[in-house]
Amino acid sequence: MVALSRRTGSSFVLAAALVRTGLTALRATAPGGRERWERKNHAGRTVDLYAGPACAVAAAARVRPAAGFAVLAAGACGAYDDAVGAGDPRRGFRAHLSALRDGEVTGGAVKLSGISAAGLAAGAVLKERPLDKVLAGVVVAGAAHVVDLLDVRPGPAGASVLALGAPGLPRKGPGAEAAASAAMGAAAAVPLDDLAERTMLGDTGAHALGAALGVAVAAGNGRAGLAAHAVALVAAASCGEKVSEAARSLV
């Protein structure tokens, strides 16, 4: 237990430190100009998006390479939507798939396809049997989408990563503990700035942290656990607006 605590603490602290370092560096340099990094939040206040890429890089750096690719890919898909999908109120699978059927390729549709592919790639590496690979991929992608659904006000997305990541800390699966502690450490580094409405995770950070959380779940569960998590995550994602509305009511 002592060894577990040391590994957990080290990964948590390093992830948090990487986020704070990334935030400081991005605020100092503002690549592409500060206006590119600014958005209006739900209250009409101007906030920056620096927390998103800082969290994505920190979480990816503290997990296994194959899983880190999925985390970065999820963050990159989120960054695309941050850039082109700002202001689109549609949330959840159903809304974006409906738009796609009507011939509109939304930022959400790009996220759905890209993150699903990244999740399946991670699942293929994390598990050995074909069905387990698919279930693990659904869990990674589903967790990324669900955490993003909660990112509608300052606080809920980061809090969900902290709350849902804790059960992964004692898991025995390879990489489960590291992924959980990395996701939690990154999420713990931004709440003061988030709640003060100086920054926000955006789709970049929410998707990346959710993917890291999904990696922890996938690595630490057998088939029964994977199936249960996959069903729950798909159900939550398919009711995206309801999940987001519940998050709004909490703050």
Side-chain angles (χ1 to χ4, degrees):
M1 182 62 70
V2 173
L4 173 65
S5 298
R6 286 175 178 171
R7 291 197 302 271
T8 299
S10 175
S11 187
F12 185 100
V13 170
L14 285 172
L18 284 171
V19 171
R20 297 310 305 180
T21 300
L23 272 171
T24 300
L26 286 170
R27 282 175 173 155
T29 58
R34 297 194 181 279
E35 66 281 355
R36 180 171 294 181
W37 295 90
E38 293 179 345
R39 294 290 187 276
K40 296 290 185 181
N41 68 2
H42 71 283
R45 298 186 178 91
T46 299
V47 298
D48 65 54
L49 293 171
Y50 302 129
C55 284
V57 171
R62 298 302 304 162
V63 299
R64 298 168 69 187
F69 165 78
V71 173
L72 287 177
C77 290
Y80 175 82
D81 198 39
D82 279 334
V84 306
D88 189 344
R90 291 170 292 194
R91 304 183 75 84
F93 290 168
R94 292 180 179 177
H96 293 291
L97 289 176
S98 295
L100 192 60
R101 284 196 298 269
D102 294 334
E104 181 185 0
V105 180
T106 65
V110 171
K111 288 192 302 182
L112 176 59
S113 58
I115 294 173
S116 296
L120 289 172
V125 175
L126 290 169
K127 297 297 180 181
E128 295 182 358
R129 297 181 178 179
L131 179 56
D132 294 341
K133 292 176 184 289
V134 173
L135 289 172
V138 172
V139 167
V140 173
H145 286 294
V146 170
V147 171
D148 181 58
L149 291 173
L150 298 173
D151 189 36
V152 292
R153 293 287 189 275
S160 71
V161 173
L162 291 170
L164 298 175
L169 296 180
R171 294 289 184 180
K172 300 298 184 183
E177 177 195 349
S181 55
M184 293 174 67
V190 297
L192 293 179
D193 289 287
D194 189 18
L195 292 172
E197 299 185 71
R198 292 189 291 267
T199 192
M200 65 179 182
L201 289 172
D203 287 356
T204 307
H207 279 300
L209 291 178
L213 189 62
V215 166
V217 172
N221 279 274
R223 181 170 298 175
L226 287 173
H229 281 89
V231 169
L233 289 166
V234 170
S238 66
C239 301
E241 187 52 46
K242 292 181 180 180
V243 173
S244 296
E245 189 59 39
R248 291 187 188 98
S249 68
L250 295 175
V251 291

